[in-house]
Amino acid sequence: MAARKVSPIPTCLLKGLCMSRVLLVTGGGRGIGAATCLLAAQRGYAVAVNYQANSFAADEVVRQIRSGGGTAMAVLADVADEAQVLRMFAQVDAKLGRLDALVNNAGVVDVAQRVDEMDVARWQRMFNTNVIGSLLCAREAVRRMSTRHGGSGGAIVNVSSVAAKLGSAGQYVDYAASKAAIDTFTLGLAHEVATEGVRVNAVRPGIIDTEIHASGGQPDRAQRLSHLIPMKRPGTAQEIAAAILWLLSDEASYTTGAILDVGGGR
């Protein structure tokens, strides 16, 4: 692969904005991703809001951040496509400066089905986005953050799911399997780059009241399954964002390879 080309004078440097830590959130336009972008901006990050299709939602997150005095940009990329991922990271390099943090949040679910009803196209879509997309983005982040590559360190948080340990029988076994892969990837990468200034952790949300349930054909799923949660309510995107921001922060400086369950006890 050809060496990546990075603009020698980032736009943020010309505008005097490079003092902020730079964060990229994949799938940052809605749900947990949007909540993470907004909270990160409040805490001083310059935020790159990735989106794959809904430019309006990403632009709205950027608008809210800027209206509060923060720095943000929307960046289009399908994380399952390597060329688009490379272009996204190059855009962040050029406009915001060297990356300090990554949240691998982009993910897809599908309609509830048994495994014997699923087809290969569904599995390929699920794993290409949820697993390969996270690996691609983490690879590019490590190339920028790791001291081995001349970086000054950084943090990665992968968004997994409590489904990874429950299996989601009769609903989303493929989704649960993709998130279990994220858990294993988190542990392996954390150990691999632990001496290179890069911390890698994961958050495992439980049933969270976001739009992802509607994309799987069950818009009322979070409320309908509340009885399965020890706290008897679904979580909010803001509660997951708070956990993510803690793992990114210096308060978690001795935490790597951790998988934090945020599922109301589930």
Side-chain angles (χ1 to χ4, degrees), residues 2-249:
R4 65 184 177 89
K5 295 180 180 179
V6 178
S7 171
I9 307 179
T11 303
C12 66
L13 185 61
L14 297 175
K15 295 181 179 179
L17 298 174
C18 285
M19 292 181 64
S20 299
R21 291 184 179 181
V22 176
L23 167 66
L24 169 61
V25 180
T26 66
R30 297 186 297 172
I32 292 170
T36 300
C37 290
L38 293 169
L39 184 58
Q42 292 173 18
R43 297 189 180 179
Y45 285 88
V47 183
V49 182
N50 161 254
Y51 69 97
Q52 191 268 326
N54 194 337
S55 61
F56 177 82
D59 288 341
E60 176 58 20
V61 172
V62 170
R63 185 198 66 77
Q64 290 185 46
I65 291 173
R66 290 177 177 173
S67 68
T71 301
M73 62 177 286
V75 56
L76 169 66
D78 178 351
V79 298
D81 185 310
E82 182 178 20
Q84 293 187 44
V85 168
L86 294 176
R87 184 164 60 247
M88 172 175 67
F89 274 84
Q91 289 174 327
V92 174
D93 290 337
K95 295 184 179 179
L96 296 180
R98 184 177 286 273
L99 194 71
D100 297 290
L102 167 69
V103 175
N104 268 322
N105 168 73
V108 295
V109 72
D110 212 317
V111 297
Q113 287 183 320
R114 288 168 49 99
V115 170
D116 53 11
E117 298 169 335
M118 297 176 185
D119 58 27
V120 172
R122 168 178 168 142
W123 296 335
Q124 290 173 331
R125 170 177 174 265
M126 189 79 66
F127 277 78
N128 283 345
T129 298
N130 295 3
V131 181
I132 293 177
S134 293
L135 268 69
L136 278 171
C137 290
R139 183 191 71 187
E140 293 307 305
V142 168
R143 288 176 174 177
R144 288 155 172 79
M145 298 174 185
S146 168
T147 55
R148 182 182 184 185
H149 295 283
S152 55
I156 297 171
V157 175
N158 297 319
V159 179
S160 178
S161 171
V162 168
K165 63 179 185 177
L166 298 178
S168 295
Q171 297 187 67
Y172 315 119
V173 169
D174 53 346
Y175 174 80
S178 74
K179 291 303 185 178
I182 290 300
D183 289 356
T184 300
F185 170 56
T186 297
L187 294 174
L189 183 61
H191 294 168
E192 194 165 276
V193 298
T195 60
E196 299 170 18
V198 182
R199 296 184 301 103
V200 186
N201 296 289
V203 168
R204 261 194 316 224
I207 298 174
I208 309 301
D209 194 4
T210 70
E211 301 95 328
I212 195 169
H213 303 293
S215 70
Q218 301 184 71
D220 63 340
R221 182 174 182 271
Q223 297 298 331
R224 180 165 47 81
L225 298 183
S226 294
H227 67 283
L228 299 176
I229 307 168
M231 291 182 71
K232 303 304 179 186
R233 69 169 179 86
T236 68
Q238 290 73 24
E239 288 172 314
I240 306 304
I244 291 170
L245 264 295
W246 180 76
L247 287 171
L248 291 178
S249 76

